[in-house]
Amino acid sequence: MQLIGLTGGIASGKSTVARRLAERGAVAVDADQIAREVVEPGTPALAEIAQTFGDGVLNADGSLNRAALGAIVFSDESSRLRLNAITHPAVLRRSTERFEEARRANPDAVIVYDVPLLVETANAYPFDLIVVAHADAETRIRRLVELRGMAADEATRRIRSQASDEERLAVADVVIDTDGSLEHTLEQADALWERLTTA
Ligand SMILES: CC(C)(COP(=O)(O)OP(=O)(O)OC[C@H]1O[C@@H](n2cnc3c(N)ncnc32)[C@H](O)[C@@H]1O)[C@@H](O)C(=O)NCCC(=O)NCCS
Ligand SMILES: Nc1ncnc2c1ncn2[C@@H]1O[C@H](COP(=O)(O)OP(=O)(O)OP(=O)(O)O)[C@@H](O)[C@H]1O
């Protein structure tokens, strides 16, 4: 098994790279998706979030109101760290289970773990290789505004709450330049796959 940590700032194109690698045969594990699973109604993490941030972060049906919680944590660093302290242990546990399942199914599996906060959590995982998808903050803000309808100031706040480009590049074994065309990104993902699968 090879465990590849794939990170990058918000809207850098991590999921695009992960999807391409999955098409070529990798097992993709997505930390954002797991972070959603661990706060589903009935989970201990959701109960702790409601206790910490109040019932205002819940929808009428008891599910997490992501916009309400996002508004709190991306404008107040201590709240964001409190949320991380609640969710990250559960994300770590479930992610590790997914890696283990993939290894049991195929001992030669190449697992691509798409994780936005890798710089903050890298030491928790035994990565064989760290890949950083890198695009300028300006490009990422434009994508968030144009493709996801996010307000520019919200996009800037999220970027500020994450590790800097320098911090991410400092831990990278491989950098994928995601600032250019989509084809250029996909070509680099294909080259990475060749490297991973030709010993
Ligand atoms: C605050 C929440 C409810 C906002 O939900 P929303 O649907 O608006 O965003 P979503 O979860 O799709 O995340 C989108 C992007 O925001 C960034 N982001 C999310 N959480 C964080 C965080 N705690 N710190 C910095 N950036 C973050 C990431 O780049 C992520 O890809 C949600 O992001 C959350 O529960 N975050 C805590 C869990 C976490 O750290 N997830 C990141 C991967 S482990
Ligand atoms: N050169 C490029 N490389 C990657 N994505 C690109 C490129 N040009 C445009 N895009 C677009 O930018 C967006 C990047 O989104 P993607 O979900 O891949 O990023 P992400 O890093 O996973 O985001 P998040 O941190 O929010 O999960 C997609 O809509 C993609 O089509």
Side-chain angles (χ1 to χ4, degrees):
M1 166 180 126
Q2 293 182 74
L3 181 61
I4 314 302
L6 170 63
T7 195
I10 186 166
S12 57
K14 294 182 299 298
S15 309
T16 303
V17 171
R19 214 164 26 243
R20 181 65 158 205
L21 294 171
E23 281 166 17
R24 302 296 306 271
V27 177
V29 179
D30 180 339
D32 276 339
Q33 191 195 319
I34 291 178
R36 283 169 191 261
E37 293 171 14
V38 301
V39 297
E40 275 169 6
T43 56
L46 183 58
E48 214 182 319
I49 287 171
Q51 211 168 45
T52 305
F53 298 99
D55 285 348
V57 300
L58 298 180
N59 293 312
D61 65 1
S63 62
L64 182 62
N65 182 332
R66 307 182 67 84
L69 183 57
I72 296 172
V73 304
F74 294 116
S75 59
D76 175 42
E77 182 66 3
S78 72
S79 296
R80 191 181 68 86
L81 294 176
R82 269 190 289 162
L83 175 64
N84 288 355
I86 297 169
T87 54
H88 288 183
V91 172
L92 171 65
R93 248 188 330 270
R94 192 170 290 214
S95 300
T96 305
E97 279 166 21
R98 295 282 158 82
F99 305 156
E100 213 26 59
E101 282 165 20
R103 194 185 59 78
R104 268 200 303 274
N106 173 12
D108 295 326
V110 176
I111 300 169
V112 174
Y113 186 46
D114 178 346
V115 56
L117 305 181
L118 178 142
V119 167
E120 294 87 335
T121 58
N123 293 336
Y125 299 97
F127 292 121
D128 294 296
L129 194 80
I130 293 180
V131 178
V132 170
H134 178 69
D136 275 354
E138 213 173 280
T139 305
R140 281 147 49 209
I141 292 173
R142 198 177 57 243
R143 287 177 185 163
L144 288 169
V145 171
E146 286 174 7
L147 303 174
R148 292 192 207 165
M150 198 181 270
D153 62 338
E154 166 76 10
T156 305
R157 270 200 297 278
R158 287 214 189 196
I159 286 176
R160 285 213 190 107
S161 77
Q162 300 190 337
S164 65
D165 290 345
E166 291 71 26
E167 288 169 304
R168 274 189 296 268
L169 293 173
V171 300
D173 297 306
V174 173
V175 178
I176 295 191
D177 168 18
T178 51
D179 224 336
S181 68
L182 205 50
E183 290 73 45
H184 184 52
T185 294
L186 299 178
E187 275 165 23
Q188 293 169 84
D190 287 346
L192 172 63
W193 181 252
E194 296 309 319
R195 167 177 167 178
L196 293 171
T197 52
T198 47

